[in-house]
Amino acid sequence: PLGSNFTSDARIRYDKLSARWLMVIIDVPSGGTVANRVLLAVSNSSTITGGTTWTFSQFLGEAGLFLDYETLGLDVNAAYIGGNMFTLAGSFSNTNAYVINRANLMAGGAYTVYAFIGLLAAGVGPFTPQGVDNYDYSATEGYFIGVDNATFGTLMMRRISTPAGVPTMSGNISIAVSTTQFPRTVRSE
């Protein structure tokens, strides 16, 4: 039995098309020592009050790993959830991305979670992949983006084709940016 379970890292988006709110959060069972879930909640209206009804659902990030620092992006086609994956001992393992048909999710019905496991090939790829918000109602593809896990001065993007159907993911698309580096140490006084 689990000794404790709490939630962490909430992300919230308003869906203009359905006039509903979407929230994602992870659970942290037994302090991160067992695989965890991504929890989702969809409101029944655009205004959140004490009378708001929520439809709850969940999915397991990846068996045997702990999903942390989840992100959320939303567009006309899908919800895009990215995350960093850790072993149950707490070591970084890889990054994953998940795509869910927006219409099915926001309607509160059954939906399929399409998992793209292991975005870092030989250490190269998006670290903490961010699902991208896109407010273009004619969009036909979605995106994940993150800093490159292997090099400074590079963002890595992944394109999602047919996100409202059976999505597929591109390989890494490099985007050069100004030189980046690890954060500087702050001196304590």
Side-chain angles (χ1 to χ4, degrees):
L2 297 176
S4 66
N5 192 6
F6 61 93
T7 56
S8 183
D9 304 341
R11 307 287 183 199
I12 303 166
R13 293 291 184 277
Y14 180 71
D15 179 47
K16 294 178 187 179
L17 289 176
S18 67
R20 295 173 186 226
W21 291 91
L22 169 63
M23 292 190 244
V24 299
I25 195 166
I26 59 168
D27 74 335
V28 184
S30 294
T33 58
V34 297
N36 65 331
R37 301 166 295 167
V38 176
L39 312 174
L40 299 101
V42 177
S43 70
N44 67 334
S45 69
S46 62
T47 304
I48 298 175
T49 68
T52 300
T53 302
W54 295 91
T55 301
F56 300 104
S57 61
Q58 63 183 325
F59 67 89
L60 181 69
E62 184 177 355
L65 294 175
F66 184 84
L67 186 151
D68 207 357
Y69 310 112
E70 89 286 357
T71 66
L72 174 62
L74 190 64
D75 68 18
V76 67
N77 299 298
Y80 305 89
I81 300 168
N84 291 343
M85 306 306 293
F86 293 85
T87 67
L88 299 183
S91 298
F92 177 76
S93 174
N94 212 309
T95 63
N96 290 351
Y98 304 91
V99 179
I100 303 170
N101 177 292
R102 185 204 62 79
N104 293 345
L105 178 62
M106 300 309 283
Y111 59 83
T112 300
V113 177
Y114 293 93
F116 297 92
I117 305 299
L119 301 185
L120 305 180
V124 177
F127 182 74
T128 314
Q130 306 287 315
V132 175
D133 290 328
N134 184 352
Y135 303 107
D136 179 356
Y137 290 149
S138 63
T140 59
E141 55 192 24
Y143 305 93
F144 287 92
I145 194 165
V147 297
D148 183 29
N149 187 61
T151 61
F152 289 119
T154 306
L155 297 177
M156 284 297 185
M157 183 175 72
R158 295 287 189 102
R159 181 180 294 116
I160 304 297
S161 298
T162 62
V166 177
T168 58
M169 179 179 273
S170 73
N172 289 322
I173 301 168
S174 298
I175 302 170
V177 296
S178 298
T179 303
T180 58
Q181 61 187 5
F182 286 118
R184 294 183 182 173
T185 302
V186 176
R187 186 178 55 175
S188 62
E189 304 275 340

